[in-house]
Amino acid sequence: MSGEMQRRALDGADLVELEARVKGLVEEFTRRSLGQDQDQETDQAPASGEETKDEEQGKAVQLARAAVYRHVERVTASALADDLTEVLLYRGADFHHLADILGPDHGWSDKLRRHTGVTVPRGEHTVVVIEHGQTAARTPGSEADAHAADRGPWPIEDAVRAQARYAVVTEDGVMRRVYRLQDWQETQPGRWTFNGRELTPREIRDGYDRGRLPLYVPTLSLEFRLHTAAGTAAEPGARAYRFRCQCRR
């Protein structure tokens, strides 16, 4: 049995309960700051004829509550930064661990770099590159034949099958198709065939723009190429290709 603890994402009920408890604490300390009894409501409806007085009271309640929320914000922001500093510096967290918590990077990596003094590590992506060789040497066939040839079987290692999320199909170093990998099946001893959905040109462009695919567009060309291929073809077959994560969101 592994001693490693796995984080479970809080579900909707957990988040509702957490939010309710935080609001309850804020209300409690709002009452304290106003010198109110425990049973007094901090947002009573105004009584008829007392609008001016109740407007002043309502303003005082809202300002007091805002002050409590502001303090909670400062405390939680500091605790969050401390936890993330710990995992960044000593426990091997990278960009994807933090993005899972903080969401799209709209400046938080720069803020953490200023706070921790280290750059948030990006880690690597792994894709499977399938090179079919020279286009002219291939016998023209149907789209189904092309997809069958793409899928394999290929001698792909266990770690690569576990890590790779995309298969990039190339001819002469030029990207022809990209698949979002779903799973692998061992159809021959030591050789595996993948199941996956072919991406649309728009999805490929989106993956490129987000830094999740190791592609670029040469000048005056709309053809995607591998970063390191530079227009030259690899040996026919399938291989793992790892590249530094440049994810932007």
Side-chain angles (χ1 to χ4, degrees):
M1 176 179 175
S2 172
E4 182 180 357
M5 295 182 65
Q6 298 295 324
R7 183 178 67 87
R8 177 181 69 84
L10 296 178
D11 60 23
D14 292 326
L15 294 175
V16 169
E17 180 183 357
L18 176 61
E19 184 176 347
R21 290 192 183 189
V22 170
K23 287 184 176 179
L25 283 173
V26 170
E27 291 300 320
E28 176 184 347
F29 282 90
T30 298
R31 286 192 293 267
R32 290 190 190 185
S33 70
L34 294 171
Q36 293 181 337
D37 295 332
Q38 183 72 18
D39 295 332
Q40 283 184 267
E41 295 290 338
T42 58
D43 53 357
Q44 297 175 353
S48 178
E50 298 183 357
E51 286 83 359
T52 301
K53 178 181 178 182
D54 285 325
E55 283 179 4
E56 290 297 319
Q57 290 178 341
K59 179 173 68 175
V61 167
Q62 288 180 307
L63 289 172
R65 188 160 52 215
V68 177
Y69 271 120
R70 184 70 181 96
H71 184 71
V72 170
E73 181 183 39
R74 286 196 295 267
V75 170
T76 54
S78 176
L80 173 65
D82 288 343
D83 276 354
L84 296 184
T85 300
E86 169 75 13
V87 296
L88 276 175
L89 291 177
Y90 308 115
R91 301 188 185 277
D94 64 15
F95 178 85
H96 291 282
H97 292 112
L98 271 60
D100 183 45
I101 302 296
L102 300 176
D105 184 2
H106 298 305
W108 56 254
S109 58
D110 287 338
K111 291 179 182 178
L112 281 171
R113 179 176 53 79
R114 291 194 294 269
H115 180 84
T116 64
V118 298
T119 299
V120 179
R122 292 277 176 159
E124 289 185 331
H125 284 304
T126 300
V127 299
V128 174
V129 176
I130 298 166
E131 170 59 44
H132 284 311
Q134 295 182 6
T135 307
R138 300 192 63 216
T139 302
S142 68
E143 184 175 323
D145 291 337
H147 289 181
D150 294 343
R151 294 180 59 229
W154 306 107
I156 303 296
E157 297 177 356
D158 293 350
V160 176
R161 298 197 312 275
Q163 296 166 5
R165 294 295 175 263
Y166 297 97
V168 178
V169 179
T170 65
E171 294 174 353
D172 301 331
V174 178
M175 188 282 298
R176 299 302 183 189
R177 290 172 293 281
V178 177
Y179 295 88
R180 181 70 166 89
L181 297 174
Q182 296 172 345
D183 55 42
W184 293 83
Q185 295 177 324
E186 190 175 21
T187 54
Q188 297 178 17
R191 297 175 71 89
W192 300 77
T193 299
F194 72 78
N195 295 309
R197 180 180 65 84
E198 183 178 354
L199 301 187
T200 66
R202 182 172 181 176
E203 289 174 320
I204 294 172
R205 168 70 70 174
D206 182 63
Y208 164 73
D209 289 341
R210 290 170 181 251
R212 296 176 180 175
L213 290 171
L215 306 169
Y216 75 96
V217 182
T219 304
L220 302 179
S221 172
L222 296 180
E223 292 182 328
F224 287 100
R225 295 183 184 273
L226 289 177
H227 280 310
T228 59
T232 61
E235 289 295 321
R239 60 191 173 92
Y241 179 64
R242 294 179 174 86
F243 63 100
R244 293 288 296 173
C245 168
Q246 297 297 323
C247 291
R248 285 171 281 281
R249 48 184 172 159

